[in-house]
Amino acid sequence: MTNIILIHLLPVIVIALRGDIRSSMIVTTLSIALLALYIPPTLSLIVHEMIYIWSFIIFYIVGYIITIQAKRIHLNSMKEILYHTLSHDLKTPLSSIMGNATFLVETHPLDPALRYKALSQIIESSRQMNRLISSLLDSARLQDTQTPLKKEWCDLQDLIALALREFRSDVLHERVVFRIENDIPLFFGDSSLLMRLFVNLIDNALKYSDNAKAIEISITVSKEKLQILFFNECPPIPQEELDNLFKKFYRAGNTADISGSGIGLSIARDITRAHHGEIRAFSSDHGIRIEVTLPILKRPASLDMETL
Amino acid sequence: MKPHQLILIVEDDEAISRLLQLAFTQQGHRTLLAKNKQSALREIQTRSPDIILLDLGLPDGDGKELIRTIRSQLRIPIIIVSARSDEEEIISALDEGADDYVTKPFSTNELFARVRSAQRRFLVHNTSSSIITCDVLQIDIEQFTFTKESLPIKLTPTEFNLLKFLMLNRNQVLTHSKILKEVWGIGYQHEMQYLRTYINALRKKIEPNLTSPTYIQTELGIGYRFVCNNPN
């Protein structure tokens, strides 16, 4: 009998390790119900002996304790990942700023081209840091369930234009190709979060593609949804890595030296989800395509446009 | 910017105030520094500055109240230097009478441009001419006509009124509610859909490149700014 009880405890432990209290409790109840069928009177859920009742209670206690512990471990490892990513992503641009600044102060380079290069580096790294911090602030705003989205009528094309302004024009090098259908309706959403979404996707496209290659952005509209596509050329990425791309702080395997990609995409996913949309990555012949789909939940009232 | 101006910097952060002092001194101006509201008020009374740069997050109280006090006494440009993400603070500071704003982190070029255009507005009281030219755009308020590169462009009455309001207040940040109130009327302050739709329509008619607008620039969460680099 003890063996049978132990066997029934096994699924409880396995599920509890996932750290989800609801599924732990469901599995515990199920395995107790199955166990009750073995216990005399067999094939009924009625149990007479006190000792069995006690073991059932122990089942619940074991399930509960393991779930709580597992949850704590999960949280800690999340914190650790966050901590590492943050310190890496913030320290990289900061080192560049400090390095270039001390280089300028201590060695007084006389070559104006060299000075210009160091100063440009400082500005670019500061901008990168500013984008990251803004992203984190927006992400914190999303996590806080107390502050609802500030929804208003947004012009998506305008927001993409604003997102492009966050980058220095010599970084963009006129690499961005914009394709847009003529009449994109206004979208009811949080404008600053949507702009952050576009900044992060442009940032990602710039990081993962060669310097001279074009980045394509397009918006298409159908009856129920708006679709925004970002495409950049890059070496192929396996589908499983693409699926992981939006997980919190994931970084594609071969890109250890590219900073800040992990946080950006997971925040992009959070922003899309907050607008009840979907974000997906596809590998096509010679690049990667990120597709944001936003459902149209509220339509602008038709205005009586004046005629000329 | 006019030379040899006296600039009052109201800022409690030392790194920022040092940068501002350096930047303006380099341009041949003199600077005064106030770290809180009290000393700002004292400097305003005794030294009468020409321009005020104001950080909204002061340790001893509300920057908006300070704007109200300054506005009741002096006609000088007030530029807000603000931390990001407090759009509502910026909007209410502009409503109180501040002339423009920059958000941290900002480039000094951006700040100089804001100061310059705010100052220009205080110099020019009212233009007697009914024609305003910006680059290749020209609007004639009395004749109700508008041309781009000397070619007439047809605008609907609302488009015309909107463009007129923007061009009359060129290089100045205009909040959503201010534009709606002025162009559509009281009671329309929250009709963002109208504003976005007509801005979009105007841009299609006047902007050379919609991906990076030259004239009508969006100030996210705040409003719009009509940029006019070479006015007549």
Side-chain angles (χ1 to χ4, degrees), chain A residues 9-56:
Chain A
L9 195 55
L10 211 62
V12 175
I13 296 170
V14 170
I15 296 297
L17 279 173
R18 289 168 52 178
D20 178 23
I21 195 81
R22 239 183 65 195
S23 46
S24 301
M25 288 302 127
I26 291 169
V27 167
T28 312
T29 311
L30 269 174
S31 73
I32 287 173
L34 272 172
L35 190 56
L37 296 177
Y38 291 104
I39 294 167
T42 38
L43 294 179
S44 89
L45 291 177
I46 302 155
V47 175
H48 291 303
E49 277 178 67
M50 201 53 200
I51 179 94
Y52 289 124
I53 307 279
W54 274 114
S55 61
F56 291 167

Side-chain angles (χ1 to χ4, degrees), chain A:
Chain A
M1 197 66 214
T2 329
N3 282 339
I4 292 175
I5 293 180
L6 284 180
I7 286 168
H8 281 255
L9 195 55
L10 211 62
V12 175
I13 296 170
V14 170
I15 296 297
L17 279 173
R18 289 168 52 178
D20 178 23
I21 195 81
R22 239 183 65 195
S23 46
S24 301
M25 288 302 127
I26 291 169
V27 167
T28 312
T29 311
L30 269 174
S31 73
I32 287 173
L34 272 172
L35 190 56
L37 296 177
Y38 291 104
I39 294 167
T42 38
L43 294 179
S44 89
L45 291 177
I46 302 155
V47 175
H48 291 303
E49 277 178 67
M50 201 53 200
I51 179 94
Y52 289 124
I53 307 279
W54 274 114
S55 61
F56 291 167
I57 294 171
I58 289 169
F59 262 53
Y60 276 109
I61 295 173
V62 168
Y64 178 75
I65 292 174
I66 294 178
T67 311
I68 296 299
Q69 289 299 336
K71 210 175 185 173
R72 189 173 298 162
I73 292 167
H74 279 294
L75 272 181
N76 276 341
S77 62
M78 269 307 288
K79 256 187 214 154
E80 208 162 290
I81 296 169
L82 175 70
Y83 180 78
H84 279 300
T85 319
L86 271 191
S87 57
H88 173 267
D89 289 357
L90 282 170
K91 277 193 170 174
T92 309
L94 191 59
S95 334
S96 151
I97 294 169
M98 232 168 114
N100 281 298
T102 40
F103 164 71
L104 287 172
V105 170
E106 282 165 11
T107 58
H108 303 289
L110 291 176
D111 181 6
L114 210 58
R115 277 212 302 263
Y116 180 79
K117 206 174 160 195
L119 288 168
S120 305
Q121 273 296 327
I122 292 178
I123 296 172
E124 181 47 34
S125 299
S126 318
R127 279 183 170 240
Q128 190 187 338
M129 230 168 136
N130 188 34
R131 286 196 295 269
L132 184 64
I133 291 170
S134 306
S135 231
L136 287 170
L137 287 173
D138 282 332
S139 162
R141 182 152 77 84
L142 266 181
Q143 306 298 324
D144 182 7
T145 45
Q146 300 298 310
T147 46
L149 299 192
K150 279 193 258 170
K151 286 197 177 180
E152 53 157 335
W153 290 109
C154 302
D155 183 335
L156 292 185
Q157 184 178 9
D158 194 15
L159 291 179
I160 292 177
L162 276 182
L164 288 170
R165 276 212 319 217
E166 295 262 309
F167 300 86
R168 266 167 32 130
S169 48
D170 58 330
V171 175
L172 291 175
H173 288 305
E174 298 181 339
R175 283 166 65 187
V176 176
V177 183
F178 211 169
R179 277 196 207 96
I180 184 162
E181 279 179 19
N182 234 344
D183 277 306
I184 298 295
L186 296 176
F187 178 76
F188 198 66
D190 187 310
S191 59
S192 69
L193 288 180
L194 288 172
M195 187 194 85
R196 187 60 46 206
L197 165 72
F198 299 143
V199 169
N200 287 354
L201 292 177
I202 295 165
D203 214 356
N204 185 67
L206 285 171
K207 270 176 198 150
Y208 286 98
S209 62
D210 293 335
N211 267 337
K213 297 285 166 58
I215 290 161
E216 290 169 33
I217 305 174
S218 65
I219 308 180
T220 50
V221 59
S222 71
K223 222 171 173 191
E224 285 99 28
K225 57 184 199 268
L226 282 157
Q227 210 166 46
I228 305 119
L229 276 172
F230 290 78
F231 174 81
N232 66 276
E233 284 185 35
C234 67
I237 297 176
Q239 187 61 40
E240 53 179 320
E241 282 197 18
L242 286 179
D243 294 338
N244 282 326
L245 221 48
F246 302 104
K247 286 201 178 136
K248 256 204 163 71
F249 314 130
Y250 182 85
R251 200 189 295 272
N254 55 344
T255 53
D257 56 331
I258 296 170
S259 64
S261 53
I263 294 181
L265 286 183
S266 90
I267 291 172
R269 184 200 55 184
D270 291 347
I271 294 173
T272 314
R273 284 193 181 162
H275 289 86
H276 308 285
E278 251 180 69
I279 188 166
R280 278 176 301 180
F282 301 96
S283 204
S284 63
D285 340 327
H286 45 277
I288 166 171
R289 200 173 75 216
I290 293 187
E291 193 181 286
V292 177
T293 311
L294 297 172
I296 299 173
L297 301 173
K298 188 172 170 182
R299 275 164 218 286
S302 61
L303 297 184
D304 295 329
M305 287 303 280
E306 305 150 324
T307 44
L308 290 170

